[in-house]
Amino acid sequence: MSQGNRGVVYMGPGNVEVQSIPFPELALGNRQCHHGVILKVLTTNICGSDQHMVRGRTTAPEGLVLGHEITGEVIECGRDVEFVKVGDIVSVPFNIACGRCRNCKEGRTGICLNVNPARPGAAYGYVDMGGWVGGQTEYVMVPYADFNLLVFPERDRALDKIQDLTMLSDIFPTGFHGCVTAGVGPGSTVYIAGAGPVGLAAAVSAQLLGAACVVIGDMNPERLKQAASFGCETLDLRQDTPMADMLEPIVGDREVDCAVDAVGFEARCHGHDHAHEQPAMVLNAVMDITRAGGQIGIPGLYVTEDPGAESDEAKHGNLSMRFGLGWAKSHSFHTGQCPVMKYHRQLMQAILFEKVQIANAVNVQLISLDGAPGGYADFDGGVAKKFVIDPHGSVAA
């Protein structure tokens, strides 16, 4: 099978283009990929992690086809694919995992040992993640299909919920993972740093896990309004007021039980100095307002190389973190990529049985493939939307 294909391509800081790209093949380098499938992409989302690359804050090479949040229809299966069938509607975890290595067998699919020669862990269309072609395209190849893909059980039901289900490839499991690793449970008070899409997904996840009170902090009024729209309390961090002082009237205490860092390495100072970057700001803040013995989930992205950082130390991923404070308060920290497969089936069920409306929470906006550059620009400007690309116009239709 061979036909046309187009994709969103990184062309340098601040510049993405929609270009013609090769139609995917069931091949890995010079050998055939009998365990893979080719998907017609139904939805593919713009992620905050993509924005880090497009801003020039990573070592991403020009010409990289972007996109790691993929939902699609199987149109071709490799010879060795046994359980996934042509016509299946599937969610693609952003982690590429072989299913065979020690880490995969332990459920740690975010750090598979066999899919990236440079380091553990791989992803589609992402810097230092194995060179895999991204999925902000019309068609894409997915390897190890029987292991990686989540097949939706009913086609019509899946298509009806596609704007919710598209969040299963990354941000919904990632937000949920942040909350699980922070120890969120029934009756918890939770602080979430950042009201971008991952932070909003974490807030929904905290509610799903039974949190009594979910507080989100951000400096973007539009995003704080979006968080409030589904029952979150909010902290406007443009104020110079200490966070503990803002928390106390909301939760009745100056500390919370659990905290989630959904911001990552481009964190900025609070208050009047909010234009100034301070990469460890969120980590230090959440240690300050999390109770002794509490847990901190860190799904926000931190990188080993940040060429756009303000300091030489931060350019190499070295942060001025108050680790002594965390040690003194016996905090637990959990970092790294979310192992999507650990959660995506359960979260699919929550969507299909209408226990959660994740698309409404993150404020999905459908755009065309040709609208992707504008979506990147608007997202970079701070709009409170989650842009979902509809490459074939099938969802809008």
Side-chain angles (χ1 to χ4, degrees):
M1 178 181 293
S2 182
Q3 52 188 294
N5 193 20
R6 296 191 304 152
V8 180
V9 181
Y10 172 65
M11 300 301 293
N15 186 13
V16 297
E17 295 180 1
V18 178
Q19 298 182 358
S20 294
I21 62 173
F23 191 84
E25 298 180 357
L26 293 174
L28 294 174
N30 295 323
R31 60 188 175 89
Q32 289 188 297
C33 181
H34 295 301
H35 49 71
V37 300
I38 293 175
L39 300 183
K40 176 184 177 181
V41 178
L42 297 179
T43 55
T44 177
N45 317 327
I46 296 176
C47 181
S49 298
D50 298 321
Q51 283 287 9
H52 292 307
M53 290 187 291
V54 173
R55 290 188 191 114
R57 297 300 297 268
T58 72
T59 55
E62 294 182 15
L64 178 69
V65 179
L66 298 168
H68 57 271
E69 300 188 9
I70 309 164
T71 306
E73 178 181 359
V74 179
I75 62 170
E76 184 178 350
C77 293
R79 181 194 66 195
D80 295 340
V81 177
E82 295 186 74
F83 307 113
V84 176
K85 307 299 182 188
V86 169
D88 283 343
I89 307 297
V90 298
S91 179
V92 184
F94 79 90
N95 325 110
I96 301 170
C98 73
R100 297 158 168 81
C101 71
R102 172 181 178 176
N103 285 345
C104 283
K105 289 178 178 179
E106 293 176 352
R108 303 181 183 205
T109 52
I111 44 174
C112 175
L113 300 174
N114 289 329
V115 288
N116 182 353
R119 68 186 199 194
Y124 303 90
Y126 206 81
V127 59
D128 296 331
M129 285 297 193
W132 297 84
V133 175
Q136 286 173 12
T137 56
E138 294 173 325
Y139 301 91
V140 70
M141 195 278 282
V142 173
Y144 306 104
D146 281 327
F147 182 67
N148 281 291
L149 294 178
L150 174 65
V151 179
F152 298 140
E154 298 175 40
R155 181 185 179 90
D156 290 344
R157 194 176 178 195
L159 292 174
D160 185 56
K161 295 283 189 183
I162 196 70
Q163 292 187 48
D164 294 281
L165 294 171
T166 192
M167 300 304 149
L168 294 174
S169 58
D170 183 355
I171 68 164
F172 196 7
T174 292
F176 195 83
H177 180 62
C179 289
V180 168
T181 56
V184 177
S188 299
T189 57
V190 185
Y191 175 71
I192 296 170
V198 171
L200 296 173
V204 169
S205 299
Q207 293 173 339
L208 192 61
L209 288 163
C213 182
V214 180
V215 184
I216 294 191
D218 204 293
M219 291 175 278
N220 182 320
E222 186 179 348
R223 289 181 170 178
L224 290 174
K225 183 179 179 181
Q226 180 63 26
S229 73
F230 59 95
C232 297
E233 301 289 343
T234 61
L235 302 185
D236 186 342
L237 300 180
R238 294 173 300 173
Q239 302 177 52
D240 287 320
T241 308
M243 290 177 64
D245 289 350
M246 289 191 280
L247 267 180
E248 192 167 16
I250 297 172
V251 300
D253 200 324
R254 297 175 65 79
E255 295 178 322
V256 291
D257 298 321
C258 320
V260 177
D261 172 4
V263 177
F265 73 105
E266 287 193 62
R268 296 182 180 275
C269 293
H270 300 165
H272 70 279
D273 198 24
H274 64 265
H276 175 62
E277 274 194 13
Q278 189 172 328
M281 170 60 75
V282 171
L283 295 172
N284 291 332
V286 295
M287 284 188 284
D288 189 51
I289 62 166
T290 301
R291 69 176 179 87
Q295 296 171 217
I296 298 168
I298 309 174
L301 176 68
Y302 288 86
V303 294
T304 55
E305 299 294 330
D306 175 9
E310 293 186 4
S311 71
D312 289 338
E313 286 293 293
K315 286 180 180 179
H316 301 289
N318 298 323
L319 309 181
S320 299
M321 179 180 171
R322 293 186 66 198
F323 191 75
L325 175 60
W327 190 96
K329 296 179 78 172
S330 293
H331 284 155
S332 298
F333 303 88
H334 196 104
T335 68
Q337 287 187 41
C338 166
V340 170
M341 276 188 270
K342 186 173 182 178
Y343 309 106
H344 65 176
R345 184 173 298 278
Q346 303 96 304
L347 296 177
M348 174 190 73
Q349 294 288 79
I351 289 169
L352 293 177
F353 287 95
E354 299 188 347
K355 299 299 181 185
V356 65
Q357 289 78 44
I358 184 67
N360 287 340
V362 301
N363 198 20
V364 162
Q365 180 171 327
L366 279 176
I367 60 174
S368 67
L369 190 64
D370 288 319
Y376 270 98
D378 289 347
F379 190 28
D380 193 45
V383 296
K385 296 177 180 178
K386 175 68 172 177
F387 289 102
V388 173
I389 300 170
D390 179 9
H392 299 274
S394 54
V395 178

